[in-house]
Amino acid sequence: MLFLFLFIVVLAALAIGLGWLIEQPGSLTLDVGGWQFEASIPVAVAGLLATIAAIIVLWAIATALVRLPGRWSGGSRLRRRDKGFEAVSQGLIAVGSGDVARARKAAVVAERLLPSEPLTQVLKAQAAQLAGDRRLAEETFHKMTLKHDTKLLGLRGLHIEAKRREDAEAAQHFAQEAHDIAPLPWAGAAMLEHHAAQGDWAKAREAIEAGLVAKAIDAQEAQNLRAVVETALAMEKERDHPQDALHLARQALKRRPGFWPAAVTTARVLIRHGDRKRALKLIETLWTTKPHPDLAAVYLEALSSEPNSAKLARVEKLAKTAPDAPESRHFVAEIALSTRDFAKARAALAPLVAEGRHPTAHTCLLMAEIEDAEHGPSGPVREWLARASRAPRDPVWIADGVVAKTWLPISPVTGKLDAFEWRAPPDSAHYYLTEEGKPNIPAAFLTRPAAEPIALPATEA
């Protein structure tokens, strides 16, 4: 509203001024080089204004002509840039959809139009990876490392390529270089996996702490990983340094309550120390909520000096704390079978093989053993064996499609820490027998003969 008022006031002032100028008598005379020009004041003012307007128009035309080449080239650059980004966009879509030919063609166009654009290098590298051209991919990633804004991206690409060709040292080098620049999650995870695969648990601990500080892992995950590292250390030390092993295993169990590997290691060290009572109590406490065959094995080890009848009584008592768990029934059936108490073994498995139930392979094999032990080779034995071949598979320690006989702190395939899970394996899983010479498994975790009883200092009892 104020602007409109001011506009009207100015317009009125101009109109009044123009009327006053027209009413003024007199004329203006211009004498130049023998030429004389005479005009009234209004005409002279109008001529002056027209001259100024003409000068402004001519100046604008001249300026536009001078700038025309620049604008033309600038428009051309913008068009090239737009075409380049369109090629990058189409190329990345082609990479995502797996169209190798289209991705490589787009990469060539993008490199011609936008040679210094970081996204062009990303597209070129990804197109090369998609086409299986590892040499070109690595060359492109290496070029990225020479520029500050793409160095981390290039290092990650080189790290991935090194892992693909199974060059652990090179992969670790690139991860370390990236980790020194910024505490990125992938670099921290790679460093952790490398130290774990080498069995360097001290550096693995440092990598966990660095990841926690950088917020690459949360507090709960850090606690779980610490428990895995401490359990791994305890397994290494349980023969030669049992006191340290016991402390580490207990600490891992506090960090991760119910963690079977830590509990088994703790109980095993206690048993070898001669503290059988405390080992049994630990297992019995865990069994109520987390029954597991590994706990059953070490529980049986603690009862090795007792007669079979006493073993069966203790196992039955243990099973009653988790009566519905298949592990409880399997444990009772196995001990009853070893004492040739076939009725009790059958009774333990009866709920698992009742009509309408789908017993697992282990249950079927136990039933076959009971039939064979009681009646010898017979039709029921063959029937249970046949059912076992078709039955659902029981949970096992599995990581990356590999099944291990016992828990391991790292995957034998990728070296990832805390990769093993206790679950039913898929049909594609294959058994991995831990033995000398297998890659990515520290020697301390390979299958070995049972150790002789070891003595702990009395203060640890």
Side-chain angles (χ1 to χ4, degrees), residues 127-145:
Q129 287 179 319
L130 186 63
D133 191 343
R134 304 300 178 202
R135 182 190 60 78
L136 179 59
E138 290 193 28
E139 286 180 359
T140 307
F141 285 128
H142 178 70
K143 287 180 181 178
M144 291 184 190
T145 63

Side-chain angles (χ1 to χ4, degrees), residues 150-165:
T150 58
K151 185 170 185 176
L152 288 172
L153 181 58
L155 288 171
R156 186 174 191 188
L158 290 173
H159 170 75
I160 292 172
E161 290 301 319
K163 290 191 71 175
R164 283 179 174 170
R165 65 173 186 270

